[in-house]
């Protein structure tokens, strides 16, 4: 029997930059804001709570657009689903609040961030910008 874990991730966009959190550790690693859904939460409620806990970002449902969900590799009989949401809302007055997990919060050109993101986040970001560029041109 597999247990299911749902995670929500924020893709915050400003021009060609994305908002990332730099993780604490020897090796440079970035993460998108977000985290694990609690039992009674929806995916979007989870993201709103996590973004506020991690960086003090106050989001509302209307600020977010569902983008896609992906099933990740299973570990120890767990199925992990990541749900990605986009916001283009201006992001102000943010800082790392979970200082035990993250060094800093940064706006980075999306293509510069890719090599430091995990496989799922990298794939979602690439897909978004590939689609976005085709719509703009």
């Amino acid at each position: 029997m597999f247990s299911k874990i749902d995670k929500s991730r924020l893709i915050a966009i400003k021009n060609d930059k994305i908002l990332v959190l730099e993780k604490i550790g020897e090796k440079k690693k970035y993460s998108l804001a977000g985290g694990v859904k609690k039992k009674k939460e929806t995916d979007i409620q989870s993201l709103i709570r996590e973004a506020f806990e991690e960086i003090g970002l106050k989001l509302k449902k209307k600020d977010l657009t569902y983008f896609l969900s992906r099933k990740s590799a299973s570990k120890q009989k767990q199925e992990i689903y990541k749900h990605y949401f986009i916001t283009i809302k201006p992001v102000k007055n943010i800082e790392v609040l979970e200082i035990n997990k993250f060094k800093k919060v940064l706006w980075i050109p999306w293509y510069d961030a890719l090599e430091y993101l995990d496989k799922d986040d990298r794939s979602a970001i690439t897909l978004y910008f590939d689609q976005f560029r085709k719509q703009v041109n």
Side-chain angles (χ1 to χ4, degrees):
M1 177 72 190
F2 278 93
S3 66
K4 182 182 172 200
I5 296 174
D6 285 287
K7 296 181 176 187
S8 295
R9 291 285 182 264
L10 177 67
I11 301 176
I13 297 164
K14 183 166 60 175
N15 302 320
D16 68 342
K17 294 182 177 176
I18 59 169
L19 187 74
V20 296
L21 295 142
E22 186 173 343
K23 293 181 175 185
I24 287 175
E26 294 292 309
K27 223 172 132 189
K28 187 190 275 194
K29 284 187 185 172
Y30 293 148
S31 174
L32 300 174
V36 178
K37 180 173 93 167
K38 292 184 177 171
K39 273 191 168 68
K40 303 255 188 237
E41 288 180 321
T42 64
D43 298 323
I44 208 162
Q45 288 168 335
S46 163
L47 181 60
I48 290 168
R49 176 184 52 78
E50 285 283 354
F52 184 71
E53 288 174 3
E54 289 177 349
I55 56 174
L57 179 57
K58 291 179 182 163
L59 291 168
K60 294 185 172 87
K61 254 185 183 172
K62 66 179 174 109
D63 299 326
L64 297 164
T65 304
Y66 172 78
F67 179 52
L68 84 146
S69 294
R70 284 257 163 83
K71 181 178 166 184
S72 295
S74 302
K75 293 177 184 164
Q76 294 101 28
K77 297 191 174 183
Q78 293 177 329
E79 289 181 329
I80 300 169
Y81 292 84
K82 284 190 180 176
H83 310 284
Y84 292 89
F85 294 87
I86 308 280
T87 189
I88 53 171
K89 172 193 175 188
V91 173
K92 296 184 182 106
N93 305 323
I94 54 167
E95 63 181 316
V96 172
L97 299 177
E98 292 186 344
I99 55 174
N100 58 324
K101 291 184 187 174
F102 306 109
K103 291 181 187 178
K104 50 189 160 186
V105 59
L106 308 158
W107 284 101
I108 298 218
W110 69 272
Y111 43 84
D112 290 342
L114 293 178
E115 68 179 292
Y116 303 109
L117 290 166
D118 77 20
K119 183 178 58 120
D120 297 322
D121 293 354
R122 184 169 45 245
S123 169
I125 295 290
T126 303
L127 182 65
Y128 175 80
F129 280 97
D130 282 351
Q131 288 181 348
F132 179 74
R133 281 196 312 252
K134 285 179 184 134
Q135 289 169 2
V136 172
N137 294 335

